[in-house]
Amino acid sequence: MTTTTLDRHSRLIEQFLKGAITEEEATELLALISKEPNLRSLLVRSWSVDLLLREKFAMEKEVRSVSPLDIMDAEIESAIMSGRFDDLDRYVEIQRKANPIVVPQAPAPEPKPALYHRVVDSLRGVLLPRENEPLSESVVPFVWCVCGLFLVLSVVLIVIQFTVNREEKEPLPVVARITDMIDATWQHGQDDYKAGMELTSDEIALQSGEVKLLFGSGAEVILQGPCSFMPIDASHAVCRQGRLSAHLPKRAKGMEVSTPFGTVIDRSTAFTLDVTKQGHDVQCVEGHIDVKDTAGVLNRLTPGMALRLSSLGPPQTISFDPKSYIVPDHFEQRVLSRDRALLAGKREEQKQLDATQGLILRYDCSERQKQLINHASYGQNIVGPGRLFGADWSSGELRETHSLRIKKTTDRVEFDVSGTMTSMTLVARVKINKLENQANVLLASNDFMLAPGTFLWQINRDGRIQLQITPEESTESDRGRMSYDTLPVVTNRMLGTWITFAVIIDAESKVIRHFMDGRLIKSCTWDKTVPIRPGTCTLGNFTSARASAGKRNFNGCFSEVRIYDRLDTFQSDRVTKTQRKQGEQDESNN
C-alpha cells in the first residue's frame, strides 16, 4: 500500500469518526472496506481506540449519561488519527479543568449525520453476521482483534490506576521529625535540612551544632555534631558516629539504637551514647537500659552506671559523666533564648524594610490580629488592611510568635490594591503542611481570568510553582500560554518547614523569575506583557466564576507577605552571582 493510498484511507476514516463524511466519501469507504481486509482492520482499531478515549473523556467530566460516540470533538479525533496522544492528553486535561466536576444533567448529544449511520450500518453488515449466518473466516480475526485490544487496554488502565493509587496511599513512612536546631551545619549535600522537616530513613550527617529529633513513639533524641545517625523506624535507629542524648517516655519502651559495636535497648529511660572509631560509651541517666555487644551478651545498666564496648576487648565499666547528658528542658531554654534574640534583630530589620520605596504591602503574621495591618509606609494609600475569613492562628516560626493558618476550604484573607503596575514582586514566607489539594494558592486576584493584568500565584499538587497572568485578550485556550511554571521543586520533604517564595515580574526585560529561599530556580519569558492590575486580592485561596473545579485553599501557615510595585532589590540582592549561575544551569539542564 503506497503512502498516498494510506493517507487517503486515513482521511476517510477521520471523516467517518468526525461524522463529517460526505456522500462521495461514504460510497468510496464502503466500497473499500468490502474488499480490503487491511482497511477493515485499520478502521476497527481506530474505531475501538476512539470509543475508549471518548469513554475516558466522559469519565473525566463525570458525565455518565452521555454516549461516548457523541462527546468527542474534532480536535481530539484529529489527535487520534495523527497519533498526537501528548496533545490529546493535554487537551483532555484542559477540558477537565475548564468544566465543573459534576454536571447534573448532560445536554442531549447532537445527532450524527445520516451518512455516518449509513456507514455504521454497512460496517455492521460487513463485520457482524446476519441472523443465523456464521461469521466468515475473514471477519473472525478482526472481531478477536477488537476484543483483544479492549482487554489489553483495560488491563493497562487497571495497572496504571493501581500504581497511582498505591503511590498516593502508600508513601514512605515518616519515622521522625526535626523539631529544633542550634547552630547546626551539615556535611555537603545536606544543606536542605530544616526545623519541622519529617524524616523517613534518612542518614543525617551533622557536621556541628545540635539537632533535636522527635520520633513517632514520643522518643526525643538530641544529636551533637559531628554525628552520623539514621532513624530506621519508630523503635529502631543506627548511630555510626557521634554523641547523642535520648529521653524516652514509657510508650517508647523497647527502642533500640545500634552501633558498629553493639545495641542499646531502652527500658523507659534516659541515656547518652558516644560512638567513636574505637568503640562506644553508653551511660544510663534514668530508669535502666540493656547493652548488647556483637556476641549477643547483655549488660544491664541502672542510673549512674556507664559501659564501654569496643573491638579491642570485653565490655569495660567507665566513670559516669552527668554533664554529657543534654536535658530536654535545658535545650528548650537555649532555643527560647536564641529565638528571642533573633526576634529582636528581626524587628529592627523590619522597621527599615517598612520604609522601603516601592514596598506597597507587608503583612506580618507573627502577632495575633483581628485584621492584618499593612506595615509598609509607602503603600498606606495603595493597599488596605487584610480582612480575615475563617483563618485562625497557630505557633510561629520563632518561639513566642504566631502565624496565620489557612486550612479549611473557605479560609482566606482579602484586601484591596488600587492602581496598576508595570512590574511587580511578590514575596511570601509560608509553611506548607500538605500538598493534597489541587493547588495551594499563595496570592490571587479575585478577577483572575476576567480582567487583563490579574494574576494567580500558587503551588500545584505536583510541586510546581505557578504564576498565571491574564493577557489583554483572554480565552479558555489562553490558559497554557499565560502560565509561567517551574519544574516540580516543592517536595514532601519540605512539608512542615518554613520556606520563602518570591516571584519577580519584570516588564522591561519581559522575564518572570521564580525564587525559593533566595535562590533563582526558574526564569520564564513573559511574552504577553500587560500592566498588572491586582484589584481585590485573596491570600491563601482563590474563588472565581471561571475557576476550575478542585480545592485550592492553602494548607499551612503564613508568616509574612510582601508586595512591591517594582523589581524588589531587597530580594534580588540576596541572590548571589553563584546562585544565579546555578539557577541558570538548572534551568538549561531541565
Side-chain angles (χ1 to χ4, degrees):
M1 185 181 295
T2 65
T3 303
T4 304
T5 303
L6 185 60
D7 289 344
R8 178 57 181 168
H9 290 177
S10 298
R11 171 64 179 172
L12 291 173
I13 294 174
E14 180 181 358
Q15 289 294 93
F16 159 68
L17 293 176
K18 290 194 298 186
I21 195 166
T22 65
E23 176 71 38
E24 183 178 7
E25 290 171 337
T27 301
E28 181 181 1
L29 180 59
L30 290 173
L32 289 170
I33 63 176
S34 63
K35 60 182 181 181
E36 291 197 22
N38 290 338
L39 180 58
R40 285 202 302 272
S41 178
L42 176 62
L43 180 56
V44 167
R45 290 196 302 271
S46 300
W47 201 7
S48 300
V49 174
D50 189 53
L51 290 172
L52 186 64
L53 291 172
R54 290 175 189 271
E55 185 175 356
K56 172 187 174 184
F57 184 62
M59 290 189 294
E60 285 283 339
K61 294 174 63 176
E62 294 198 14
V63 183
R64 300 290 190 262
S65 58
V66 178
S67 169
L69 289 172
D70 297 299
I71 63 173
M72 191 69 68
D73 66 12
E75 183 170 352
I76 288 186
E77 286 167 351
S78 177
I80 294 171
M81 296 310 300
S82 61
R84 292 183 291 110
F85 290 101
D86 289 341
D87 293 347
L88 170 63
D89 288 341
R90 180 175 174 275
Y91 181 81
V92 170
E93 181 66 12
I94 290 174
Q95 293 301 316
R96 184 185 67 80
K97 291 183 177 180
N99 290 276
I101 287 182
V102 178
V103 178
Q105 182 159 2
E110 272 186 49
K112 295 284 188 179
L115 286 173
Y116 173 87
H117 294 291
R118 175 184 163 191
V119 176
V120 171
D121 291 337
S122 298
L123 283 171
R124 290 191 178 116
V126 174
L127 299 176
L128 301 178
R130 296 182 180 87
E131 187 175 359
N132 299 326
E133 180 181 336
L135 286 170
S136 66
E137 293 183 2
S138 62
V139 173
V140 171
F142 302 116
V143 176
W144 280 109
C145 177
V146 176
C147 296
L149 179 63
F150 271 111
L151 179 61
V152 171
L153 289 175
S154 299
V155 171
V156 170
L157 288 175
I158 291 172
V159 170
I160 292 175
Q161 186 65 35
F162 174 80
T163 303
V164 171
N165 289 342
R166 184 174 182 180
E167 290 179 353
E168 291 179 352
K169 296 178 181 179
E170 298 181 12
L172 290 175
V174 174
V175 178
R177 179 168 57 89
I178 299 175
T179 59
D180 293 297
M181 300 187 297
I182 297 179
D183 301 328
T185 61
W186 308 91
Q187 292 186 9
H188 180 69
Q190 291 195 340
D191 294 337
D192 60 340
Y193 280 117
K194 295 181 178 181
M197 182 173 289
E198 294 179 337
L199 305 175
T200 52
S201 293
D202 307 335
E203 182 167 8
I204 299 173
L206 180 64
Q207 187 71 35
S208 62
E210 299 168 315
V211 173
K212 182 179 178 181
L213 306 181
L214 177 64
F215 284 74
S217 62
E220 296 177 316
V221 177
I222 300 174
L223 309 179
Q224 295 173 267
C227 182
S228 176
F229 184 83
M230 178 186 292
I232 304 299
D233 53 41
S235 60
H236 188 201
V238 174
C239 184
R240 304 183 191 280
Q241 178 190 5
R243 181 178 296 176
L244 64 85
S245 297
H247 177 76
L248 300 101
K250 290 183 178 180
R251 68 176 185 273
K253 181 179 180 180
M255 182 174 179
E256 298 183 4
V257 180
S258 300
T259 76
F261 309 97
T263 302
V264 179
I265 305 172
D266 165 69
R267 302 301 180 190
S268 181
T269 185
F271 66 89
T272 67
L273 179 63
D274 187 5
V275 184
T276 65
K277 293 181 179 180
Q278 290 73 36
H280 80 227
D281 296 347
V282 59
Q283 298 187 136
C284 181
V285 180
E286 297 175 2
H288 63 274
I289 56 176
D290 290 332
V291 182
K292 182 170 61 174
D293 60 21
T294 54
V297 178
L298 281 177
N299 296 270
R300 173 153 295 189
L301 303 185
T302 57
M305 295 180 64
L307 188 70
R308 173 174 295 166
L309 295 183
S310 73
S311 57
L312 303 178
Q316 179 183 357
T317 301
I318 58 176
S319 60
F320 179 82
D321 180 12
K323 295 182 180 179
S324 64
Y325 177 67
I326 300 177
V327 180
D329 289 345
H330 295 174
F331 182 86
E332 177 65 23
Q333 286 297 320
R334 287 194 289 133
V335 171
L336 179 58
S337 298
R338 180 207 61 188
D339 284 0
R340 285 174 175 171
L342 289 174
L343 183 59
K346 183 178 179 180
R347 294 300 188 212
E348 291 300 318
E349 290 182 359
Q350 289 173 339
K351 290 179 181 179
Q352 300 178 14
L353 179 62
D354 291 339
T356 303
Q357 289 291 311
L359 179 65
I360 65 172
L361 168 68
R362 189 180 76 83
Y363 287 150
D364 183 1
C365 305
S366 63
E367 297 180 357
R368 297 175 67 99
Q369 309 160 55
K370 292 184 179 180
Q371 61 179 8
L372 298 185
I373 299 173
N374 183 10
H375 294 274
S377 302
Y378 175 82
Q380 289 299 309
N381 297 323
I382 303 174
V383 184
R387 303 177 291 274
L388 275 62
F389 295 88
D392 60 1
W393 298 94
S394 182
S395 57
E397 184 174 3
L398 301 177
R399 296 294 192 278
E400 300 179 338
T401 64
H402 296 85
S403 62
L404 185 68
R405 181 170 60 185
I406 306 291
K407 182 178 180 180
K408 299 178 183 177
T409 306
T410 55
D411 288 353
R412 65 194 187 280
V413 178
E414 293 187 358
F415 58 92
D416 302 315
V417 181
S418 60
T420 62
M421 310 169 206
T422 304
S423 296
M424 184 172 68
T425 301
L426 306 174
V427 182
R429 185 155 181 82
V430 299
K431 179 176 68 174
I432 306 170
N433 291 334
K434 294 181 180 180
L435 284 173
E436 62 184 9
N437 293 348
Q438 178 178 342
N440 276 15
V441 171
L442 296 167
L443 188 61
S445 301
N446 286 9
D447 287 338
F448 173 67
M449 292 292 292
L450 299 175
T454 52
F455 64 88
L456 172 64
W457 186 31
Q458 62 186 8
I459 302 168
N460 288 338
R461 182 185 296 162
D462 61 2
R464 288 178 296 121
I465 306 170
Q466 181 182 68
L467 177 71
Q468 294 186 356
I469 302 176
T470 309
E472 290 291 353
E473 296 181 1
S474 174
T475 63
E476 289 293 337
S477 60
D478 285 326
R479 296 189 64 168
R481 292 193 288 273
M482 65 182 183
S483 182
Y484 308 94
D485 304 5
T486 70
L487 293 173
V489 292
V490 181
T491 64
N492 289 335
R493 184 184 180 86
M494 301 176 185
L495 300 182
T497 68
W498 288 97
I499 308 171
T500 299
F501 295 99
V503 59
I504 296 178
I505 306 170
D506 186 350
E508 182 178 352
S509 302
K510 294 187 177 182
V511 173
I512 292 174
R513 299 183 180 91
H514 290 278
F515 295 84
M516 186 168 68
D517 282 338
R519 179 178 178 179
L520 176 65
I521 56 175
K522 182 70 175 181
S523 292
C524 309
T525 301
W526 187 16
D527 51 357
K528 290 192 175 184
T529 58
V530 59
I532 305 299
R533 305 179 181 91
T536 299
C537 295
T538 298
L539 180 70
N541 215 327
F542 173 61
T543 55
S544 170
R546 296 181 69 180
S548 59
K551 294 175 65 176
R552 291 177 178 268
N553 62 282
F554 191 84
N555 195 328
C557 299
F558 283 79
S559 176
E560 186 184 53
V561 179
R562 285 180 271 150
I563 300 179
Y564 297 78
D565 66 357
R566 60 194 69 182
L567 306 184
D568 170 21
T569 56
F570 177 80
Q571 171 67 23
S572 55
D573 284 347
R574 294 192 174 195
V575 183
T576 66
K577 291 182 180 179
T578 302
Q579 289 173 325
R580 287 182 185 276
K581 184 176 181 181
Q582 181 62 46
E584 292 168 358
Q585 289 176 349
D586 294 344
E587 180 184 349
S588 62
N589 292 336
N590 295 323

